[in-house]
Amino acid sequence: MERHDAIEASANELFDVVASGKVRINVNQRFAIKDAADPHKAFEARATSGSTILANLPSIHRSFP
């Protein structure tokens, strides 16, 4: 199996487990891609906890001023 195939298989296995509900991922911060500098500022200020999402969504909650 090529490296890419192995990585894809592992990712698919992980997504299947998450989709099954056996694993819950808590996202504590969400940032729009247009505000990509903000999560870096938050990390540097140690103002984050748990998972942080950087997403291309039109309306997104910003957790860091």
Side-chain angles (χ1 to χ4, degrees):
M1 184 181 289
E2 292 183 34
R3 187 176 194 291
H4 180 278
D5 293 337
I7 292 170
E8 186 174 354
S10 292
N12 287 333
E13 184 178 341
L14 172 63
F15 294 139
D16 288 344
V17 171
V18 172
S20 76
K22 293 179 183 176
V23 174
R24 181 180 158 102
I25 299 172
N26 294 319
V27 177
N28 295 341
Q29 298 82 213
R30 291 177 173 84
F31 296 91
I33 288 177
K34 68 180 183 65
D35 302 317
D38 291 347
H40 293 281
K41 292 175 189 173
F43 296 147
E44 290 172 357
R46 297 184 179 268
T48 63
S49 65
S51 298
T52 300
I53 298 290
L54 184 62
N56 189 19
L57 298 174
S59 175
I60 194 163
H61 171 72
R62 290 185 60 196
S63 303
F64 187 77

